[in-house]
């Protein structure tokens, strides 16, 4: 599929840049950290955020594919960096991710911290390099990604809420899961020369849906199916749509949110195609109760 | 002193932005992480990197002070982020920094990881915001900072070398300590509309001098004087100029490097002023043997 190929090529190009591929001689990168960068972004999983980003860009005409590709890669690098840091012993202390050992187990803890840091920096460098094509759009992409990554309202802020005694639940959810989906729709629009604001709601609703779907998977699946530890919401006493609405209620809630997402799509040449993309995303998200359904009853 | 005031104001403005000061209502940041951002950048210490950056910008005419100030703040945010992550238990496991508890002890380990991540993101956001004044220079500042922060040759790469069995010493030193001094001279030049390349050597030499001075302080001072643990090079078996040349040899080596730095200053309106700045920096760097000189003999 063309979209997948574009995304994987853009990510591979970004990682090669971080490993020193751009250096005109004389630049030697530390080999294990260079290897950890590649390890942290593969295998790809669904690449759902860059898929949404490119879908929005294409729906808006995608007249600067170099910018859209860079934006897709940068967004996925930030997502992967957040996974590496979230898996650290002081956070989720996860042993597996996408079916293989987490970065701090496959390498070591300092290299996991550094791989995350390097992927964050690389994301902004990839955007700044592509911005030569169109400085105005490039700078808007950098600002949008920074806004949804750091403080006060990006995914760092989202994680930060988990160290608070009193949590602002709306700010927590919007920042923790919503932020990078908002970045996806906004950056897709910006890369194609559109204003980001009309695209905020679509991203926010997809993010909300994704959070509910993730809560469902965490409650319904086992670790082998997830490729990461299961039952983490219960284990860490985190708020979850399953705790709030029950399994069937959460599935209904998920479908309602996605209908709202489709209704929020701004008028654009690729409106129908985008609605179809959201429907496909919804199908991929909605968990099918696994055959070993003991956890559903529990 | 005007330079100090500019630097502290630029850093305070950046931190306020990260804490949500720019948000037009509805944006609530997690309070402890917001507080950790401020904690991580204060008290200031010598602010040596932004001082060099602004000195170079002023020597080149400083015709866009908004850009120079943003560059100075961004560079110091990256430096502070690196200190927070370097102090983590899996790295230096340091208890104190600048005479107070390190961020992971004053807050907790997740907040220290997130504070570092957020400061990195904020650095690029500060530059992208200021770039509205001059997109071309702004993007060059972002690329210069990214190059000297991440992989393959920034401070992340420098730290990455410490996880290698075989270390490329020249790449290690240039990346670990040199990188942010090269960023300082290059970014000062870029902010004032000059090409960065002629300024690389000055930054590299100041960085080399700083490393030798740091080795001397680590060997000669106690933890109270340093405001951080002493004797870390010996404890972690890290390469050091003191091990290589002895104390007096290292002091002579430091002076030679600084003479070379002054000789490398490109021709510019503020050349004499810059030479004076390097001399003052040298005086501040060169350790005076402390009264309790037992460690010198050891």
């Amino acid at each position: 599929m063309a979209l997948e190929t574009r995304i994987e090529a853009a990510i591979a190009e970004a990682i090669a840049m971080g490993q020193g591929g751009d250096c005109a001689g004389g630049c030697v990168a530390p080999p294990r950290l260079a290897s950890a960068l590649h390890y942290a972004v593969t295998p790809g999983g669904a690449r759902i955020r860059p898929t949404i980003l490119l879908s929005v860009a294409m729906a808006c005409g995608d007249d600067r594919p170099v910018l859209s590709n860079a934006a897709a890669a940068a967004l996925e690098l930030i997502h992967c960096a957040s996974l590496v840091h979230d898996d650290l012993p002081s956070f989720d202390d996860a042993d597996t991710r996408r079916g293989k050992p987490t970065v701090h187990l496959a390498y070591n803890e300092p290299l996991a911290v550094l791989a995350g840091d390097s992927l964050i920096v690389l994301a902004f460098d990839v955007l700044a390099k592509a911005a030569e094509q169109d400085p105005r759009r490039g700078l808007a992409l950098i600002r949008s990604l920074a806004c949804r990554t750091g403080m006060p309202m990006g995914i760092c802020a989202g994680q930060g809420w988990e160290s608070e005694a009193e949590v602002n639940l709306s700010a927590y959810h919007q920042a923790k899961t919503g932020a990078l989906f908002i970045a996806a729709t906004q950056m897709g629009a910006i890369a194609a020369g559109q204003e980001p604001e009309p695209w905020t709601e679509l991203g926010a609703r997809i993010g909300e849906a994704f959070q509910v779907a993730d809560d469902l998977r965490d409650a319904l699946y086992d670790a082998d199916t997830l490729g990461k530890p299961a039952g983490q919401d219960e284990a860490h006493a985190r708020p979850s749509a399953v705790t709030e609405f029950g399994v069937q209620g959460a599935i209904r809630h998920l479908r309602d949110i996605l209908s709202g997402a489709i209704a929020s799509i701004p008028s654009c040449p690729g409106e129908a195609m985008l609605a179809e993309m959201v429907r496909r995303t919804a199908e991929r998200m909605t968990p099918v109760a696994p055959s070993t359904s003991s956890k559903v009853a529990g």
Side-chain angles (χ1 to χ4, degrees), chain A:
Chain A
M1 189 185 143
L3 215 56
E4 275 176 37
T5 313
R6 270 183 80 174
I7 292 168
E8 294 308 321
I11 293 169
E13 194 183 324
I15 294 297
M17 189 172 147
Q19 291 177 328
D22 268 17
C23 284
C27 161
V28 188
R32 291 186 73 209
L33 180 54
S35 156
L37 295 186
H38 178 262
Y39 187 92
V41 303
T42 51
R47 304 285 196 212
I48 191 164
R49 294 159 192 77
T51 302
I52 294 167
L53 189 153
L54 286 185
S55 301
V56 171
M58 289 162 77
C60 297
D62 197 25
D63 63 337
R64 291 238 189 257
V66 169
L67 273 187
S68 322
N69 291 347
L75 181 60
E76 185 68 8
L77 296 184
I78 291 290
H79 173 59
C80 293
S82 80
L83 299 181
V84 174
H85 282 183
D86 289 358
D87 287 338
L88 285 170
S90 63
F91 287 85
D92 287 354
D93 194 15
D95 293 342
T96 53
R97 165 72 67 181
R98 291 167 176 168
K100 62 180 189 178
T102 45
V103 175
H104 64 274
L105 289 182
Y107 293 83
N108 62 33
E109 203 176 327
L111 285 176
V113 174
L114 293 169
D117 293 353
S118 302
L119 291 172
I120 296 171
V121 175
L122 188 56
F124 291 104
D125 202 23
V126 162
L127 289 177
K129 188 184 178 197
E132 286 163 19
Q133 294 256 331
D134 189 326
R136 200 189 53 80
R137 290 190 202 175
L139 285 167
L141 287 171
I142 291 171
R143 294 226 63 195
S144 173
L145 186 61
C147 171
R148 304 300 167 175
T149 300
M151 279 277 285
M153 58 196 291
I155 49 172
C156 290
Q159 287 285 353
W161 279 112
E162 295 183 4
S163 286
E164 293 294 331
E166 284 184 34
V167 178
N168 180 319
L169 271 181
S170 145
Y172 168 62
H173 282 304
Q174 172 122 352
K176 187 176 175 184
T177 317
L180 288 193
F181 288 99
I182 297 175
T185 55
Q186 286 192 339
M187 291 172 80
I190 294 166
Q194 300 302 307
E195 286 299 317
E197 268 318 310
W199 294 89
T200 308
E201 188 179 346
L202 177 61
R205 285 181 183 262
I206 297 176
E208 215 184 324
F210 190 83
Q211 180 63 55
V212 176
D214 204 52
D215 292 351
L216 277 161
R217 279 194 303 269
D218 185 76
L220 294 174
Y221 287 2
D222 60 17
D224 281 351
T225 314
L226 281 177
K228 63 178 182 181
Q232 291 294 296
D233 291 337
E234 208 179 332
H236 294 272
R238 287 192 289 234
S240 151
V242 176
T243 324
E244 199 175 343
F245 304 117
V247 169
Q248 289 310 317
I251 289 176
R252 275 195 303 276
H253 186 45
L254 175 61
R255 291 193 177 136
D256 289 348
I257 296 166
L258 284 162
S259 303
I262 290 170
S264 84
I265 296 172
S267 175
C268 64
E271 200 175 328
M273 179 273 282
L274 258 189
E276 183 51 31
M277 183 275 295
V278 175
R279 263 181 227 108
R280 273 203 316 275
T281 306
E283 275 164 29
R284 276 187 357 204
M285 273 183 189
T286 313
V288 179
S291 53
T292 53
S293 56
S294 59
K295 281 197 74 191
V296 181

